[in-house]
Coordinates of all heavy atoms in Angstrom, one line a residue:
M208 N 48.6 9.3 -2.8 CA 47.5 10.2 -3.0 C 46.6 9.6 -4.1 O 45.4 9.6 -4.0 CB 47.9 11.6 -3.3 CG 46.8 12.6 -3.2 SD 46.3 12.7 -1.5 CE 45.9 14.4 -1.4
S209 N 47.2 9.2 -5.2 CA 46.4 8.7 -6.3 C 45.7 7.4 -5.9 O 44.6 7.2 -6.4 CB 47.3 8.4 -7.5 OG 46.6 7.8 -8.5
M210 N 46.3 6.6 -5.1 CA 45.7 5.3 -4.7 C 44.4 5.6 -3.8 O 43.4 4.9 -4.0 CB 46.7 4.5 -3.8 CG 46.2 3.2 -3.5 SD 46.0 2.2 -5.0 CE 45.8 0.6 -4.3
M211 N 44.5 6.6 -3.0 CA 43.4 7.0 -2.2 C 42.2 7.5 -3.0 O 41.0 7.1 -2.8 CB 43.8 8.1 -1.2 CG 42.8 8.2 0.0 SD 42.9 6.7 1.0 CE 42.8 7.5 2.6
T212 N 42.5 8.3 -4.0 CA 41.4 8.8 -4.9 C 40.8 7.6 -5.7 O 39.5 7.6 -5.8 CB 42.0 9.8 -5.9 OG1 42.7 10.8 -5.2 CG2 40.9 10.4 -6.8
H213 N 41.6 6.7 -6.1 CA 41.1 5.5 -6.8 C 40.2 4.7 -5.9 O 39.2 4.2 -6.4 CB 42.3 4.7 -7.3 CG 41.9 3.5 -8.1 ND1 41.3 3.5 -9.3 CD2 42.0 2.1 -7.8 CE1 41.0 2.3 -9.8 NE2 41.4 1.5 -8.8
T214 N 40.6 4.5 -4.7 CA 39.8 3.8 -3.7 C 38.4 4.4 -3.5 O 37.4 3.7 -3.5 CB 40.5 3.7 -2.4 OG1 41.8 3.1 -2.6 CG2 39.7 2.8 -1.4
F215 N 38.4 5.7 -3.4 CA 37.1 6.5 -3.2 C 36.2 6.3 -4.4 O 35.0 6.2 -4.3 CB 37.4 7.9 -2.9 CG 37.7 8.2 -1.4 CD1 38.8 9.0 -1.1 CD2 37.0 7.6 -0.4 CE1 39.2 9.2 0.2 CE2 37.4 7.8 0.9 CZ 38.5 8.6 1.2
T216 N 36.8 6.4 -5.6 CA 36.1 6.2 -6.8 C 35.4 4.9 -6.9 O 34.3 4.7 -7.3 CB 37.0 6.5 -8.1 OG1 37.6 7.8 -7.9 CG2 36.2 6.4 -9.4
V217 N 36.2 3.8 -6.6 CA 35.7 2.5 -6.7 C 34.6 2.3 -5.6 O 33.6 1.7 -5.9 CB 36.8 1.4 -6.4 CG1 36.3 0.0 -6.3 CG2 37.8 1.5 -7.6
A218 N 34.8 2.8 -4.4 CA 33.8 2.7 -3.4 C 32.5 3.4 -3.8 O 31.4 2.9 -3.5 CB 34.4 3.3 -2.1
K219 N 32.7 4.6 -4.4 CA 31.5 5.3 -4.8 C 30.7 4.5 -5.9 O 29.5 4.5 -5.8 CB 31.9 6.7 -5.4 CG 30.7 7.5 -5.7 CD 31.2 8.9 -6.2 CE 30.0 9.8 -6.6 NZ 30.5 11.0 -7.2
K220 N 31.4 3.8 -6.8 CA 30.8 3.0 -7.8 C 30.1 1.8 -7.2 O 29.1 1.3 -7.8 CB 31.8 2.6 -8.9 CG 32.2 3.8 -9.8 CD 33.1 3.3 -10.9 CE 33.5 4.4 -11.8 NZ 34.4 4.0 -12.8
I221 N 30.6 1.3 -6.1 CA 29.9 0.1 -5.5 C 28.8 0.5 -4.6 O 27.7 -0.1 -4.6 CB 31.0 -0.6 -4.7 CG1 32.0 -1.3 -5.6 CG2 30.3 -1.7 -3.8 CD1 33.2 -1.9 -4.9
I222 N 29.0 1.6 -3.8 CA 28.0 2.0 -2.8 C 26.7 2.6 -3.4 O 25.6 2.3 -3.0 CB 28.6 3.0 -1.8 CG1 29.6 2.3 -0.9 CG2 27.5 3.6 -0.9 CD1 30.4 3.2 0.0
Q223 N 26.9 3.3 -4.5 CA 25.7 4.0 -5.1 C 24.6 3.1 -5.6 O 23.5 3.3 -5.2 CB 26.2 4.9 -6.3 CG 25.2 5.9 -6.8 CD 25.8 6.8 -7.8 OE1 26.9 6.7 -8.2 NE2 25.0 7.8 -8.2
P224 N 25.0 2.0 -6.3 CA 23.9 1.0 -6.7 C 23.3 0.3 -5.5 O 22.1 0.0 -5.5 CB 24.5 0.1 -7.6 CG 25.9 0.5 -7.8 CD 26.2 1.6 -7.0
V225 N 24.1 0.1 -4.4 CA 23.6 -0.6 -3.2 C 22.6 0.3 -2.5 O 21.5 -0.2 -2.1 CB 24.8 -1.0 -2.3 CG1 24.2 -1.5 -1.0 CG2 25.6 -2.1 -3.0
V226 N 22.9 1.5 -2.4 CA 22.0 2.5 -1.7 C 20.7 2.6 -2.6 O 19.6 2.6 -2.0 CB 22.7 3.8 -1.5 CG1 21.7 4.9 -1.1 CG2 23.8 3.7 -0.5
L227 N 20.9 2.7 -3.9 CA 19.7 2.8 -4.8 C 18.8 1.5 -4.6 O 17.6 1.6 -4.6 CB 20.2 3.0 -6.2 CG 19.1 3.2 -7.2 CD1 18.3 4.5 -7.0 CD2 19.7 3.2 -8.6
G228 N 19.4 0.4 -4.6 CA 18.7 -0.9 -4.4 C 17.9 -0.9 -3.1 O 16.8 -1.3 -3.1
I229 N 18.6 -0.5 -2.0 CA 17.9 -0.5 -0.7 C 16.7 0.5 -0.7 O 15.6 0.2 -0.2 CB 18.9 -0.1 0.4 CG1 19.9 -1.3 0.6 CG2 18.2 0.2 1.7 CD1 21.1 -1.0 1.5
A230 N 16.9 1.7 -1.3 CA 15.9 2.7 -1.4 C 14.7 2.2 -2.3 O 13.5 2.3 -1.9 CB 16.4 4.0 -2.1
M231 N 15.0 1.5 -3.3 CA 13.9 0.9 -4.2 C 13.2 -0.2 -3.4 O 11.9 -0.3 -3.6 CB 14.5 0.4 -5.5 CG 14.9 1.4 -6.4 SD 15.7 0.8 -7.9 CE 14.3 0.0 -8.7
L232 N 13.9 -1.0 -2.6 CA 13.3 -2.0 -1.9 C 12.2 -1.5 -0.9 O 11.1 -2.1 -0.7 CB 14.4 -2.8 -1.1 CG 13.9 -4.1 -0.4 CD1 13.5 -5.1 -1.4 CD2 15.1 -4.6 0.5
F233 N 12.5 -0.4 -0.3 CA 11.6 0.2 0.7 C 10.5 1.1 0.0 O 9.4 1.2 0.5 CB 12.3 1.0 1.7 CG 13.1 0.2 2.7 CD1 14.4 0.0 2.7 CD2 12.3 -0.5 3.7 CE1 15.1 -0.7 3.6 CE2 13.0 -1.3 4.6 CZ 14.4 -1.4 4.6
M234 N 10.9 1.7 -1.1 CA 9.9 2.6 -1.8 C 8.9 1.9 -2.7 O 7.8 2.4 -2.9 CB 10.7 3.7 -2.6 CG 11.5 4.6 -1.7 SD 10.4 5.5 -0.6 CE 9.4 6.5 -1.7
T235 N 9.2 0.7 -3.1 CA 8.3 0.0 -4.0 C 7.0 -0.3 -3.4 O 5.9 0.0 -4.0 CB 9.0 -1.3 -4.6 OG1 10.2 -0.9 -5.2 CG2 8.1 -2.0 -5.5
P236 N 6.9 -0.8 -2.2 CA 5.6 -1.0 -1.6 C 4.8 0.3 -1.4 O 3.6 0.3 -1.5 CB 5.9 -1.7 -0.2 CG 7.2 -2.2 -0.4 CD 7.9 -1.4 -1.3
V237 N 5.5 1.3 -1.0 CA 4.9 2.6 -0.7 C 4.3 3.1 -2.1 O 3.1 3.6 -2.1 CB 5.8 3.6 -0.1 CG1 5.2 5.0 0.0 CG2 6.3 3.1 1.2
A238 N 5.1 3.1 -3.1 CA 4.6 3.5 -4.4 C 3.4 2.6 -4.9 O 2.5 3.1 -5.5 CB 5.7 3.5 -5.4
G239 N 3.5 1.4 -4.7 CA 2.4 0.5 -5.1 C 1.1 0.8 -4.3 O 0.0 0.8 -4.9
M240 N 1.2 1.0 -3.0 CA 0.0 1.4 -2.3 C -0.6 2.7 -2.7 O -1.8 2.9 -2.8 CB 0.3 1.4 -0.8 CG 0.4 0.0 -0.2 SD 0.5 0.0 1.6 CE 2.2 0.4 1.8
L241 N 0.3 3.7 -3.0 CA -0.2 5.0 -3.5 C -0.9 4.8 -4.8 O -1.9 5.4 -5.1 CB 1.0 5.9 -3.6 CG 1.3 6.8 -2.4 CD1 2.6 7.6 -2.7 CD2 0.2 7.7 -2.1
N242 N -0.3 4.0 -5.7 CA -0.8 3.8 -7.0 C -2.2 3.1 -6.9 O -3.2 3.5 -7.6 CB 0.1 3.0 -7.9 CG -0.3 2.9 -9.3 OD1 -1.1 3.7 -9.8 ND2 0.2 1.9 -10.0
A243 N -2.3 2.1 -6.0 CA -3.6 1.4 -5.9 C -4.6 2.4 -5.3 O -5.8 2.3 -5.6 CB -3.4 0.2 -4.9
A244 N -4.2 3.2 -4.3 CA -5.2 4.1 -3.7 C -5.7 5.2 -4.7 O -6.9 5.5 -4.7 CB -4.5 4.9 -2.5
L245 N -4.8 5.6 -5.6 CA -5.2 6.6 -6.6 C -6.1 6.0 -7.7 O -7.0 6.6 -8.3 CB -4.0 7.2 -7.3 CG -3.2 8.2 -6.3 CD1 -1.9 8.6 -7.0 CD2 -4.0 9.4 -5.9
R246 N -5.9 4.7 -8.0 CA -6.7 4.0 -9.0 C -7.9 3.3 -8.5 O -8.7 2.7 -9.3 CB -5.8 3.0 -9.8 CG -4.7 3.6 -10.6 CD -3.9 2.5 -11.2 NE -2.8 3.1 -12.0 CZ -2.7 2.8 -13.3 NH1 -3.4 1.9 -13.9 NH2 -1.7 3.4 -14.0
A247 N -8.2 3.3 -7.2 CA -9.3 2.6 -6.6 C -10.6 3.2 -7.1 O -10.7 4.5 -7.2 CB -9.2 2.6 -5.1
P248 N -11.6 2.4 -7.4 CA -12.9 3.0 -7.8 C -13.6 3.6 -6.6 O -13.3 3.3 -5.4 CB -13.7 1.7 -8.3 CG -13.0 0.6 -7.6 CD -11.6 1.0 -7.4
P249 N -14.5 4.6 -6.8 CA -15.2 5.2 -5.7 C -16.0 4.2 -5.0 O -16.5 3.2 -5.5 CB -16.0 6.3 -6.4 CG -16.2 5.8 -7.8 CD -14.9 5.1 -8.1
P250 N -16.2 4.4 -3.7 CA -17.0 3.4 -2.9 C -18.5 3.4 -3.4 O -19.0 4.4 -3.8 CB -16.9 4.0 -1.5 CG -16.5 5.4 -1.6 CD -15.7 5.5 -2.9
V251 N -19.0 2.2 -3.4 CA -20.4 2.0 -3.9 C -21.4 2.4 -2.7 O -21.2 1.9 -1.6 CB -20.6 0.6 -4.3 CG1 -22.0 0.4 -4.8 CG2 -19.7 0.3 -5.5
Q252 N -22.3 3.2 -3.0 CA -23.4 3.5 -2.0 C -24.7 2.9 -2.5 O -25.1 3.1 -3.6 CB -23.5 5.0 -1.9 CG -22.3 5.7 -1.3 CD -22.5 7.2 -1.1 OE1 -23.5 7.7 -1.5 NE2 -21.5 7.8 -0.4
I253 N -25.3 2.1 -1.6 CA -26.5 1.4 -1.9 C -27.6 2.1 -1.1 O -27.5 2.2 0.1 CB -26.5 -0.1 -1.6 CG1 -25.4 -0.7 -2.4 CG2 -27.8 -0.7 -1.9 CD1 -25.1 -2.2 -2.1
S254 N -28.6 2.6 -1.7 CA -29.8 3.1 -1.0 C -31.0 2.3 -1.3 O -31.2 1.8 -2.4 CB -30.0 4.6 -1.5 OG -30.4 4.6 -2.8
S255 N -31.7 2.0 -0.2 CA -32.9 1.1 -0.3 C -33.9 1.6 0.7 O -33.6 2.1 1.7 CB -32.4 -0.3 0.0 OG -33.6 -1.2 0.0
N256 N -35.2 1.3 0.3 CA -36.2 1.7 1.3 C -36.7 0.4 2.0 O -37.8 0.4 2.6 CB -37.4 2.4 0.5 CG -37.9 1.5 -0.6 OD1 -37.4 0.4 -0.8 ND2 -38.9 2.0 -1.3
E257 N -36.0 -0.6 2.0 CA -36.3 -1.8 2.7 C -35.9 -1.8 4.2 O -34.8 -1.3 4.4 CB -35.7 -3.1 2.1 CG -36.3 -3.4 0.7 CD -35.7 -4.6 0.1 OE1 -34.9 -5.3 0.8 OE2 -36.1 -5.0 -1.0
T258 N -36.7 -2.3 5.1 CA -36.3 -2.3 6.5 C -36.0 -3.8 6.8 O -36.9 -4.6 6.6 CB -37.4 -1.8 7.4 OG1 -37.7 -0.5 7.0 CG2 -37.0 -1.8 8.8
V259 N -34.9 -4.1 7.4 CA -34.5 -5.5 7.7 C -34.2 -5.5 9.2 O -33.4 -4.7 9.7 CB -33.3 -6.0 6.9 CG1 -33.0 -7.4 7.3 CG2 -33.6 -5.9 5.4
I260 N -34.9 -6.3 9.9 CA -34.7 -6.5 11.4 C -34.3 -7.9 11.6 O -35.0 -8.9 11.2 CB -35.9 -6.1 12.2 CG1 -36.3 -4.7 11.9 CG2 -35.7 -6.3 13.7 CD1 -37.7 -4.3 12.5
Y261 N -33.2 -8.1 12.3 CA -32.8 -9.5 12.6 C -32.5 -9.6 14.1 O -31.8 -8.8 14.7 CB -31.5 -9.8 11.9 CG -31.0 -11.2 12.1 CD1 -31.6 -12.3 11.6 CD2 -29.8 -11.4 12.9 CE1 -31.2 -13.6 11.9 CE2 -29.4 -12.7 13.2 CZ -30.0 -13.7 12.7 OH -29.6 -15.0 12.9
K262 N -33.3 -10.5 14.8 CA -33.1 -10.7 16.2 C -32.5 -12.0 16.4 O -33.0 -13.0 16.0 CB -34.4 -10.6 17.0 CG -35.1 -9.2 16.9 CD -36.4 -9.2 17.7 CE -37.0 -7.9 17.7 NZ -38.3 -7.9 18.4
T263 N -31.3 -12.1 17.1 CA -30.7 -13.3 17.4 C -31.3 -14.1 18.5 O -31.2 -15.3 18.6 CB -29.2 -13.1 17.6 OG1 -29.0 -12.2 18.7 CG2 -28.5 -12.6 16.3
M264 N -31.8 -13.4 19.5 CA -32.3 -14.1 20.7 C -33.6 -14.9 20.4 O -33.7 -16.0 20.8 CB -32.6 -13.1 21.8 CG -31.3 -12.5 22.4 SD -31.6 -11.5 23.8 CE -32.1 -12.7 25.0
H265 N -34.5 -14.4 19.6 CA -35.7 -15.1 19.3 C -35.7 -15.7 17.9 O -36.6 -16.3 17.4 CB -36.9 -14.1 19.3 CG -37.0 -13.5 20.7 ND1 -37.3 -14.2 21.8 CD2 -36.8 -12.2 21.1 CE1 -37.4 -13.4 22.9 NE2 -37.1 -12.2 22.4
A266 N -34.6 -15.5 17.2 CA -34.4 -16.1 15.8 C -35.5 -15.7 14.9 O -36.0 -16.5 14.1 CB -34.2 -17.6 15.9
S267 N -35.8 -14.4 14.9 CA -36.8 -13.9 14.0 C -36.3 -12.9 13.0 O -35.4 -12.1 13.4 CB -38.0 -13.3 14.8 OG -37.6 -12.2 15.4
V268 N -36.7 -13.0 11.8 CA -36.3 -12.1 10.8 C -37.5 -11.4 10.2 O -38.4 -12.1 9.8 CB -35.5 -12.8 9.7 CG1 -35.0 -11.9 8.6 CG2 -34.3 -13.6 10.3
V269 N -37.4 -10.1 10.0 CA -38.5 -9.3 9.5 C -38.1 -8.6 8.2 O -37.1 -7.9 8.3 CB -39.1 -8.3 10.5 CG1 -40.2 -7.5 9.9 CG2 -39.6 -9.0 11.8
F270 N -38.7 -8.8 7.1 CA -38.5 -8.0 5.9 C -39.6 -7.2 5.6 O -40.8 -7.7 5.6 CB -38.2 -9.0 4.7 CG -36.9 -9.8 4.9 CD1 -36.9 -11.1 5.4 CD2 -35.7 -9.2 4.6 CE1 -35.8 -11.8 5.5 CE2 -34.5 -9.9 4.7 CZ -34.6 -11.2 5.2
K271 N -39.4 -5.9 5.3 CA -40.5 -5.1 4.8 C -40.1 -4.5 3.5 O -39.1 -3.9 3.3 CB -40.6 -3.9 5.8 CG -41.7 -2.9 5.5 CD -41.7 -1.7 6.5 CE -42.5 -0.6 6.0 NZ -42.4 0.6 6.8
G272 N -40.9 -4.8 2.5 CA -40.6 -4.4 1.1 C -41.4 -3.2 0.6 O -42.4 -2.8 1.0

C-alpha cells in the first residue's frame, strides 16, 4: 500500500510540471496576441478634400487639389 502511494506522489510531481509546460506552450501565443491587441494604437483616419481618379485602361490620372 505504501509503495502505491509513493508511486502516485512521484507521478504527480512529474506530471504537474509537464501539464503546466504544455498549457504555457499553447497559452503564450494567445496571451501575446491579446496583449498586442490591447496595446495597439487606434487606427489612423485621414480626411482630405482631394479627389483622385485613376483609370488603368487609358492610363490617365486626375488630381484635384
Side-chain angles (χ1 to χ4, degrees):
M208 194 64 147
S209 175
M210 186 67 169
M211 199 67 141
T212 306
H213 181 68
T214 303
F215 282 131
T216 304
V217 171
K219 185 178 177 183
K220 286 184 179 181
I221 293 173
I222 291 172
Q223 194 171 3
V225 171
V226 170
L227 184 63
I229 292 170
M231 287 176 68
L232 187 67
F233 286 107
M234 290 304 292
T235 300
V237 175
M240 284 189 283
L241 270 174
N242 191 17
L245 291 174
R246 291 176 178 237
V251 177
Q252 294 182 351
I253 299 172
S254 63
S255 174
N256 56 1
E257 292 183 0
T258 304
V259 178
I260 301 171
Y261 180 73
K262 293 183 180 178
T263 55
M264 292 187 67
H265 300 294
S267 65
V268 181
V269 176
F270 293 99
K271 176 184 172 188

